Amino acid sequence: SKGAGRNRVAFFETAMQTELEERLALEHDLAHAIGTDQLDMHLQPQYDASGSVVGAELLIRWNHPERGAISPARFIALAEETGIILRIGDWTLQRACQALRELQAHGHSYPISINVSPRQFRQSDFVSRVREILLEPQAPADRLTFEVTEGTLIQDIQDAIDKMTQLTALGIRFSIDDFGTGYSNLTYLKRFPLHELKIDKSFLHDTPADPDNRAIVKLILAMARQLNLKVVAEGVETQDQADFLIAHGCDSLQGYLYARPMPISQWLQSPST
Ligand code: C2E
Ligand code: CA
Ligand code: CA
Ligand code: CA
């Protein structure tokens, strides 16, 4: 009936209204969370085939005073849309430098990887912002890796090459995140000053049992070897996955099989890191 149709429209309007209000509230709260202890960083270790720690990825955490932990999958997208990501990006880089100094003080010299968002990378003054943050005393640029996605790089290839070249000159290394989920065009890969590829965890699903994923992972590893790139596998959860990856030449492994992302205080106390 017409009445039911109108009710349904009203229902959707209310749902949209609620979603919008929810987003606005979250956006407001996120803007205010930066610079407070609500935002925190976790580090997740990366291991080589012999089980030594060879790196760490910095992953942001938001502890909302009323809602509790909010997943980065939810708030990073929002931050990207609203531009708040630019402030988060600066914060992340500062925290990474701090963490590197702390690790160094404990005798650890491996690099930290940070996630650089598309909007952050696209800023016309991205390079000078990074340079400014790295001006702090003892900021160890040569132990920083920037993870960028293929989507970020192909938006403006020449601009990406220029920025990466300038940052590489400072000692920063580049890694392609979520590799395989984007465009994966071999001819363009060679043009970027890259150090590493990160195989997306979706390709480890049911690997080595799944023939398609098994083939993709082997192909990525073979290709990376040709291009002289290191490979990190993320989302390693089982020993079978680890054995398969190592057997095919994967350089480093990151995932719940070894360790979950953890606060640096825990990192410094843990025997496995
Ligand atoms: P990502 O960069 O692909 O990060 C890997 C995600 O996989 C992380 O989720 C990590 O906690 C999770 N993970 C690690 N090991 C395993 C495993 O064995 N199994 C499974 N199922 N998952 C595993 P997280 O921390 O929730 O972050 C989600 C996404 O949010 C990240 O995906 C990244 O795109 C974004 N993100 C996180 N921190 C930052 C940040 O500081 N800046 C920016 N721009 N983005 C961030
Ligand atoms: Ca990442
Ligand atoms: Ca991923
Ligand atoms: Ca990612």
Side-chain angles (χ1 to χ4, degrees):
S1 76
K2 275 192 182 142
R6 257 199 305 277
N7 278 344
R8 212 170 298 133
V9 170
F11 170 78
F12 282 123
E13 278 173 354
T14 310
M16 278 171 63
Q17 181 73 23
T18 310
E19 164 69 14
L20 187 67
E21 278 165 11
E22 155 93 13
R23 282 172 51 94
L24 286 172
L26 213 56
E27 185 186 321
H28 170 270
D29 293 352
L30 181 57
H32 286 84
I34 302 170
T36 74
D37 58 9
Q38 286 179 40
L39 283 195
D40 203 0
M41 59 152 200
H42 279 187
L43 294 174
Q44 189 178 30
Q46 301 171 339
Y47 297 88
D48 69 10
S50 75
S52 307
V53 178
V54 290
E57 178 176 11
L58 189 156
L59 294 157
I60 196 166
R61 293 292 176 259
W62 182 13
N63 253 304
H64 192 282
E66 286 115 38
R67 298 165 195 240
I70 300 178
S71 146
R74 172 103 172 97
F75 74 82
I76 289 292
L78 185 69
E80 182 76 15
E81 283 167 37
T82 56
I84 298 175
I85 197 72
L86 302 181
R87 289 169 59 205
I88 292 183
D90 288 351
W91 178 88
T92 310
L93 186 55
Q94 282 156 356
R95 290 303 302 267
C97 292
Q98 226 172 53
L100 281 171
R101 283 191 290 269
E102 252 178 279
L103 290 172
Q104 178 88 64
H106 286 78
H108 303 305
S109 58
Y110 37 71
I112 289 183
S113 300
I114 64 176
N115 293 284
V116 174
S117 90
R119 185 150 175 178
Q120 194 187 348
F121 187 85
R122 268 208 314 273
Q123 296 172 99
S124 54
D125 64 344
F126 178 59
V127 173
S128 57
R129 282 175 88 113
V130 170
R131 205 178 268 134
E132 207 169 292
I133 293 171
L134 293 180
L135 278 178
E136 285 174 45
Q138 306 165 349
D142 59 349
R143 281 188 289 132
L144 273 174
T145 301
F146 283 2
E147 296 187 2
V148 292
T149 61
E150 295 163 80
T152 301
L153 297 186
I154 67 150
Q155 285 215 331
D156 183 340
I157 292 180
Q158 195 50 53
D159 180 63
I161 293 171
D162 290 346
K163 285 172 172 157
M164 290 166 84
T165 306
Q166 293 177 59
L167 292 168
T168 300
L170 300 179
I172 292 167
R173 286 184 283 208
F174 280 87
S175 174
I176 298 201
D177 206 0
D178 302 339
F179 187 76
T181 61
Y183 305 86
S184 310
N185 181 334
L186 304 185
T187 54
Y188 86 76
L189 259 193
K190 279 195 299 194
R191 299 179 53 192
F192 298 105
L194 286 172
H195 178 74
E196 174 187 285
L197 303 180
K198 269 189 107 163
I199 302 182
D200 191 64
K201 61 175 175 283
S202 59
F203 296 114
L204 293 193
H205 180 73
D206 227 4
T207 299
D210 182 284
D212 291 338
N213 279 348
R214 194 170 62 219
I216 291 170
V217 169
K218 281 168 72 174
L219 192 66
I220 293 175
L221 287 165
M223 189 188 81
R225 201 172 306 124
Q226 287 288 313
L227 294 171
N228 226 339
L229 298 171
K230 298 260 176 257
V231 180
V232 181
E234 67 168 27
V236 181
E237 293 181 352
T238 69
Q239 192 60 50
D240 280 352
Q241 291 171 341
D243 292 343
F244 175 79
L245 287 159
I246 291 168
H248 291 92
C250 187
D251 300 282
S252 5
L253 311 176
Q254 176 184 351
Y256 298 164
L257 174 64
Y258 305 97
R260 297 205 167 235
M262 64 185 98
I264 191 163
S265 52
Q266 189 183 330
W267 180 291
L268 293 172
Q269 283 163 13
S270 164
S272 65
T273 46

